[in-house]
Amino acid sequence: MEELQKAVEAAAASANAAWLLAASALVLFMTPGLAFFYGGMTRAKSVLNMIMMSFGSIAVVSILWVIYGYSLAFDDDAFGGLVGGLGKIGLKGVITDVPGALPETIFSAFQLMFAIITVALISGAIADRAKFGAWMVFAGVWATIVYFPVAHWVFAFDSDTAKGGWIANQLGALDFAGGTAVHINAGSAGLALALVLGKRKGWPKESFKPHNLPLVLLGAGILWFGWFGFNAGSAVAANNLAGVAFINTQVATASALAGWLIVEKIRDKHATTLGAASGAVAGLVAITPACGSVNPVGAVILGVLAGAICALAVGLKYRFGFDDSLDVVGVHLVGGLFGSLIIGLLATETVTGGANGLFYGGGFSQLGKQAIAAFAVLAYSFVLTYIIGFIIDKTMGFRVDEETEIEGIDTGVHAESAYDFVSGSSTRSTIIGGAAPAGINDQSVREAAPAGKE
Amino acid sequence: MAKLVTAVIKPFKLEDVKGALSALGIAGLTVSEVQGYGRQKGHTEVYRGAEYQVDFVPKVKIEVAVDDIEAAKVVDALVAAARTGKIGDGKVWVTSIDEVVRVRTGERGLDAL
């Protein structure tokens, strides 16, 4: 019998490992999805810079994660629930196989993808005007000082042998897949950075309309697809809770899409494509913390409200005059706050296995915990991000010069352009320098291509 | 002598206009894609609730050189074919031509039409 029991446990661990590996890959795919979602919303002359900020985040955060990021987030608590220790630097001890348990490498890979997309999310607030080099520095510093500790607060749970972060354990706020650590964190940082960098030249008077809405929808679709890994993967097992998170994610997102369109139809007389994409993302954001706390009917209510609230919230930047280019505040900060707080109302113990929200007879206590967690992350992220952004701006400069901003950040910073509408007709390009293909007339090969200025 | 009939119309009406002019026996015309606005002042687009005024609307410009006597008939046919009755249907105007030359043969005047 004991042998059989062991075999069953091993099979279950193996199934969980398989699901979490797949979920990790799904979550990574969200970041390229985000790149296209954001890229389509910028103007044609800065779409590459927008996409590059997401891909750059993948590079920086992945490297730091192995070196010390995972350790700061998930090693035993080192300081009052605020940050992990340095015991797992270089993923020390992580790659050891423990029979019958979920391999820690897989958990580490899964959590890495969260760190990547959280950083990438911020870039939407500073579209069209950030230096790529400054962004890369920011990404590394922000991940180190803001994301890794906050991930410890929210995602590091106590176990028999380890002690985790204060929000997850001491406070007991519910955040299934990262409404606080990911969305409030990134949204608050986006607001701070938008303030540090200032408004785009010409905003809000000139047209900053999206240059490619099909790209936005494609990106939103990829995000939606990847988000199943994000939310259902956060069960850290292939089990019923993962199934609940999955169905909640689907219905909340669909409901939010509808909610956003209803607001648009009433307010603007048109249900728009950008509204559909934005509503879906708002729903994904809002259900993220709550997908392991509410039942599917709760998810529908949450979704419709989140879509409607975020549709109204994206107008805040015009009222208060901050240029959050792609509405990181309106969608991620507001959506994240809403999703985190409404857990205090809609949580039901049939899903959470203990905690009830106000509407299920739980009183105000869970709502209070949710509010403390949400506003602690909001305040920490805002203050630290403002300081990091300010220092980068005063030292290396965070913004491109005016000429580059007007002529296009893609050619100015990256020496590339996304689209060539007139190739072969009015503009002819000549190969100058670099690896010229054989047969190119030597006289056309000159020294040094025009270097991208930054 | 000859008249130049110029029309700025909605792009989707181009085929109708071309058909109407062919039916009159008009041999050739010139078409260009243009942008502009008239009394309706472009149109409005909405992105996340923010309204953008798009000033210049895409239009098609047709130019056709015809005999004096045919000009009125051409204008009537063109207007009838291009009309939808909605705002932004466009304009047609007629100007005099001082000289016409067929490049291939050097013919001048009405012979060159």
Side-chain angles (χ1 to χ4, degrees), chain A residues 160-241:
Chain A
D160 297 341
T161 52
K163 208 160 160 28
W166 71 277
I167 288 179
N169 305 294
Q170 280 122 283
L171 181 64
L174 298 172
D175 183 354
F176 194 73
T180 50
V182 176
H183 298 289
I184 293 174
N185 201 355
S188 186
L191 177 59
L193 268 202
L195 294 174
V196 170
L197 267 75
K199 302 167 190 174
R200 284 169 292 180
K201 187 121 189 66
W203 188 87
K205 283 190 176 164
E206 284 173 25
S207 170
F208 289 95
K209 68 178 193 178
H211 88 283
N212 189 334
L213 283 173
L215 210 60
V216 174
L217 271 284
L218 177 66
I222 293 172
L223 280 169
W224 194 332
F225 173 72
W227 224 293
F228 289 120
F230 200 87
N231 285 359
S234 290
V236 202
N239 59 12
N240 180 57
L241 185 56

Side-chain angles (χ1 to χ4, degrees), chain A residues 79-136:
Chain A
F79 187 74
L82 292 176
V83 69
L86 299 175
K88 291 183 176 175
I89 276 189
L91 297 190
K92 200 172 121 207
V94 172
I95 56 175
T96 316
D97 188 29
V98 181
L102 180 83
E104 196 175 348
T105 42
I106 299 176
F107 178 74
S108 173
F110 182 62
Q111 284 292 339
L112 162 60
M113 307 315 177
F114 281 60
I116 290 169
I117 194 163
T118 307
V119 173
L121 283 172
I122 304 167
S123 64
I126 53 170
D128 280 335
R129 59 200 188 285
K131 282 185 190 172
F132 183 64
W135 166 256
M136 293 293 269

Side-chain angles (χ1 to χ4, degrees), chain A residues 41 208-210 267 278 318 326-327, chain B residues 45-52 54:
Chain A
M41 276 191 277
F208 289 95
K209 68 178 193 178
R267 184 185 59 188
S278 309
Y318 299 106
L326 309 181
D327 300 307
Chain B
E45 295 179 8
V46 192
Y47 298 96
R48 282 182 173 166
E51 291 196 347
Y52 288 110
V54 178

Side-chain angles (χ1 to χ4, degrees), chain A residues 259-270:
Chain A
W260 190 299
L261 292 185
I262 290 166
V263 167
E264 281 197 332
K265 186 66 188 169
I266 294 168
R267 184 185 59 188
D268 312 321
K269 300 186 184 68
H270 304 281

